[in-house]
Amino acid sequence: MRFTILTENRESNCNCINEDGLSIYIELENKKILLDAGITDAFMKNAKVLGIDLQEIDKIVLSHGHWDHGNGLKYINLKKTLILHPDAYTKRYSLLRNMAFGGINQTREELKEKFDLIETKEPYQIFENVWFLGQINRRFEVPKENAHTVLENNEKDYLYDDTGIVVKLEKGIVVFSSCSHSGINNIIEQAKEVTRDDRILAVVGGFHLKKLNEYTNKIIEYFSSNNIKVAYMGHCTSDEVIQEFKNKLKGTTKVTTLYAGAKFEI
Ligand SMILES: [Fe+2]
Ligand SMILES: [Fe+2]
C-alpha cells in the first residue's frame, strides 16, 4: 500500500502548500481513501502537483470534527461516501484561538446533501481489509493538553468523535490516526481488537504530543513494548517529541517525520 500526505503542518520539498491541518490519501491495490481534507483546498492543489486524481477516491473518512481536518471537505464536489462519527458536527470553540469556531464549517444537512453519509460510533468495515475504528475505548488516559476546544455551553469537549482507520496487510496492520485526541495508544489497541492482529507494521498521523513529559514517555514505552516497526509522525506532534521518539526507540521503531507532499510505501 501507499499513502501520500496531501497537506500537513510541515513544509514540503515539492511545491506543495503546507497548512496547520492534515489530509492523507491512502492507496490500496484497487481502492483509494481520503482521510481528512485539511483547512482549505490546499489538499486538492497539492494532489494536482503530485499527479493524484482525486476523482478516483472510493471513500472519504473524517477522523473528527475539528476545523483543521474537516473544513477542506467544503471544496470537494464529488458524490462519494463520507464516513464519520455522529458527534463530528458538534459545535466547539477553540480556547487557543480566542474562542473561534473550532468545529467544521458545514452542517450535517449540508454534508448530507453533498455526500452519502455513514455515521457510526461502532467500528465500520470500509473494505475487505480496512476499518473505520468508531468511537475509541479509552482504556488509557488521553493526552494532557487535549482540552483545546469547549462546547457551546462552555463545558469541556471530550472529543469522543476522534477516531482513525486501520488497514490489515499480510504482515500486520497499519494504523492511521489524524489527531489522537483519544490517545494514540487507545486507538492502536482498538485497531488490534478490530483486526484481531497485534503485529503493528506502522502508525501514521498526528499523535497529539507536544511536550516531553510523563505522558509522552508512556506513549514511547507503549511503542516499544508493542514492537511497532515504523512511526510516521506529524501534524500535532512537536519536533522535540519526534526527536525523543528517535532517541528512545533507536533500533526498535523507525521514526519518520511527515510533511506536505511526502509519499510512503509499506
Ligand atoms: Fe488536528
Ligand atoms: Fe483535532
Side-chain angles (χ1 to χ4, degrees), residues 15-32:
N15 293 323
C16 289
I17 306 159
N18 60 302
E19 60 179 19
D20 287 349
L22 187 63
S23 175
I24 306 178
Y25 186 65
I26 303 166
E27 294 173 81
L28 305 165
E29 224 164 276
N30 50 5
K31 298 289 178 206
K32 294 171 176 70

Side-chain angles (χ1 to χ4, degrees), residues 143-155:
K144 288 247 184 293
E145 311 95 19
N146 222 358
H148 66 267
T149 46
V150 290
L151 305 175
E152 249 176 324
N153 58 7
N154 242 343
E155 269 178 22

Side-chain angles (χ1 to χ4, degrees), residues 55-264:
Q55 305 259 10
E56 291 181 6
I57 293 171
D58 292 291
K59 309 275 181 193
I60 303 169
V61 172
L62 180 63
S63 64
H64 66 301
H66 264 162
W67 66 294
D68 54 329
H69 298 257
N71 279 8
L73 292 173
K74 202 163 192 170
Y75 301 91
I76 300 177
N77 284 312
L78 302 165
K79 187 76 180 161
K80 302 281 179 186
T81 301
L82 170 65
I83 305 156
L84 74 181
H85 186 291
D87 293 352
Y89 318 104
T90 300
K91 285 190 177 149
R92 35 181 57 125
Y93 299 85
S94 175
L95 294 168
L96 300 178
R97 296 183 301 125
N98 267 332
M99 299 300 276
F101 189 67
I104 53 175
N105 58 358
Q106 290 179 98
T107 61
R108 179 178 185 272
E109 288 62 43
E110 286 168 325
L111 287 173
K112 198 170 173 154
E113 211 161 286
K114 191 148 71 163
F115 301 107
D116 295 321
L117 292 186
I118 294 179
E119 301 156 294
T120 177
K121 287 186 183 183
E122 299 303 318
Y124 173 83
Q125 189 162 18
I126 307 175
F127 298 117
E128 198 188 345
N129 293 317
V130 187
W131 289 262
F132 172 79
L133 292 174
Q135 188 163 320
I136 303 297
N137 179 9
R138 299 178 174 200
R139 58 198 100 197
F140 304 118
E141 64 172 326
V142 300
K144 288 247 184 293
E145 311 95 19
N146 222 358
H148 66 267
T149 46
V150 290
L151 305 175
E152 249 176 324
N153 58 7
N154 242 343
E155 269 178 22
K156 190 172 168 175
D157 181 6
Y158 288 97
L159 283 148
Y160 289 124
D161 47 312
D162 177 72
T163 185
I165 293 179
V166 63
V167 178
K168 187 170 162 73
L169 302 175
E170 222 165 90
K171 288 185 183 156
I173 59 172
V174 180
V175 183
F176 290 87
S177 170
S178 295
C179 235
S180 300
H181 298 291
S182 312
I184 189 65
N185 45 0
N186 291 321
I187 292 170
I188 296 167
E189 284 300 303
Q190 191 135 328
K192 281 158 63 174
E193 218 171 81
V194 166
T195 54
R196 297 198 183 108
D197 195 339
D198 60 2
R199 302 164 303 156
I200 307 157
L201 295 177
V203 181
V204 186
F207 293 2
H208 214 87
L209 299 173
K210 318 263 170 117
K211 293 176 190 155
L212 302 185
N213 53 28
E214 204 189 316
Y215 182 81
T216 297
N217 284 338
K218 275 188 190 161
I219 299 291
I220 293 174
E221 276 164 32
Y222 177 88
F223 270 66
S224 163
S225 59
N226 277 272
N227 200 15
I228 295 171
K229 301 271 181 287
V230 193
Y232 295 91
M233 304 169 71
H235 185 47
C236 46
T237 323
S238 71
D239 289 339
E240 192 182 23
V241 166
I242 295 175
Q243 192 52 52
E244 187 75 353
F245 265 67
K246 284 184 181 167
N247 296 342
K248 289 204 168 150
L249 295 173
K250 218 180 232 164
T252 56
T253 303
K254 186 182 169 218
V255 178
T256 300
T257 308
L258 302 180
Y259 60 88
K263 286 187 181 204
F264 302 100

